[in-house]
Amino acid sequence: MKSISLYEEKHSFLNGLSPLTKLTYVVVAICVPLLLGLRPSYVAFIALSVALLATSGVLAKTKPIVAVSGFVLLTVVIIQTFFRGGAYTELFRLGPLVARKEGFEYSIGILLNVLNIVFCFCVFVLTTKPSDMMQAMVRRGASPRLGYVFVSLFQIIPQMTERTSTIADAQRSRGMRTEGSLGTRIKAFLPLISPVIMSSFTDTRERSIALEVRGFSSKEPKTFLNEFVASRADASVRVALLVVFALSVVARVALTMGVSVWPK
């Protein structure tokens, strides 16, 4: 089976950055707004992530992720706005329901935080080749086993989906009905899921044998078929991210000590 992942090569600026630099971006994008505690910082990183995804040509691939997250977030906003406990300031009424200002503001904070996490992880996942991430981890001293598990996590769901589709086609060719009413789908579930599970066990065993044949457990230094070469901007981007993170830590410490760091 071919290697499947969400990654798509676009020869963009993000594709030229090393996986560790993009992982650094994820950490900085999540931690800096939390340290500063300012909503504009969330908006700034969301806008930056969207801009990076757009310039890399993968923004369209975020639509399913944002759609699922958006449905959950809409539910959170409704529940927090109308049903959050404690003292409240009324915004408006919708029949017997009262929209509460405190609940709405709290839900907006959750919404911005989740969207920021979703988009910055999209920057990492959609523009990082899993094998390059594994290579970077191993070169930094991580166990090859850990790197293999990391890569497998990116591939397990797409592979299971493709395997299920293949088995469903095979079962239909034998005359089994897999589409129709709910009862028909329930009857087809066990004949479909059983081969998927058994083939997964077989595939795992075959992979383990193939890895051992290639000396996966050897203590000798590993070599890589395709060497990842980062762009010239990689080091500069990583330094800039670390500087932003350091400044946010300083600002957080100053605010804790009661020192004002924002202009009035």
Side-chain angles (χ1 to χ4, degrees):
M1 181 177 291
K2 63 181 180 180
S3 176
I4 310 169
S5 72
L6 297 174
Y7 168 79
E8 187 174 350
E9 177 61 64
K10 294 288 188 177
H11 303 288
S12 64
F13 172 74
L14 286 178
N15 290 143
L17 298 180
S18 70
L20 292 179
T21 298
K22 283 177 277 191
L23 195 58
T24 302
Y25 173 76
V26 172
V27 174
V28 171
I30 294 174
C31 292
V32 168
L34 291 175
L35 288 169
L36 298 180
L38 298 174
R39 289 183 181 176
S41 62
Y42 287 99
V43 175
F45 274 104
I46 291 172
L48 178 58
S49 296
V50 170
L52 290 172
L53 291 167
T55 55
S56 298
V58 294
L59 184 60
K61 297 187 71 173
T62 65
K63 290 181 180 179
I65 304 173
V66 174
V68 173
S69 303
F71 176 77
V72 176
L73 290 173
L74 179 61
T75 305
V76 171
V77 171
I78 293 173
I79 292 175
Q80 292 294 333
T81 300
F82 290 99
F83 302 103
R84 183 174 173 80
Y88 62 88
T89 304
E90 182 178 331
L91 286 177
F92 61 88
R93 286 183 175 270
L94 191 62
L97 301 177
V98 178
R100 310 177 181 206
K101 178 182 178 182
E102 290 75 13
F104 177 73
E105 291 179 347
Y106 181 74
S107 66
I108 293 299
I110 295 176
L111 184 146
L112 291 175
N113 191 18
V114 173
L115 286 180
N116 181 39
I117 293 173
V118 167
F119 279 115
C120 70
F121 267 103
C122 284
V123 168
F124 176 72
V125 173
L126 298 180
T127 64
T128 304
K129 194 174 183 179
S131 59
D132 291 339
M133 187 63 205
M134 177 181 177
Q135 182 182 141
M137 293 172 64
V138 173
R139 289 189 180 281
R140 291 285 180 173
S143 168
R145 295 179 184 273
L146 178 63
Y148 177 75
V149 170
F150 182 87
V151 173
S152 298
L153 289 175
F154 282 93
Q155 298 178 345
I156 186 170
I157 294 178
Q159 286 180 354
M160 289 289 286
T161 302
E162 182 171 302
R163 183 179 288 114
T164 302
S165 176
T166 301
I167 292 174
D169 290 340
Q171 297 289 43
R172 280 194 291 268
S173 69
R174 296 183 177 95
M176 188 181 75
R177 294 182 61 188
T178 60
E179 298 178 353
S181 65
L182 180 61
T184 302
R185 292 175 181 271
I186 292 175
K187 290 179 181 178
F189 178 75
L190 189 60
L192 285 177
I193 200 64
S194 298
V196 171
I197 295 174
M198 295 305 298
S199 63
S200 297
F201 287 139
T202 303
D203 185 58
T204 301
R205 181 174 178 274
E206 290 177 351
R207 285 193 180 194
S208 64
I209 295 173
L211 289 172
E212 289 304 318
V213 169
R214 291 171 173 81
F216 190 73
S217 299
S218 173
K219 302 298 182 182
E220 296 297 321
K222 308 298 180 184
T223 58
F224 301 92
L225 178 62
N226 299 311
E227 296 284 346
F228 176 79
V229 180
S231 65
R232 294 181 180 179
D234 184 74
S236 301
V237 171
R238 193 181 308 179
V239 170
L241 290 171
L242 294 175
V243 169
V244 170
F245 181 76
L247 291 175
S248 66
V249 171
V250 172
R252 179 73 268 172
V253 172
L255 290 172
T256 303
M257 297 175 62
V259 179
S260 178
V261 295
W262 315 120
K264 296 183 179 180

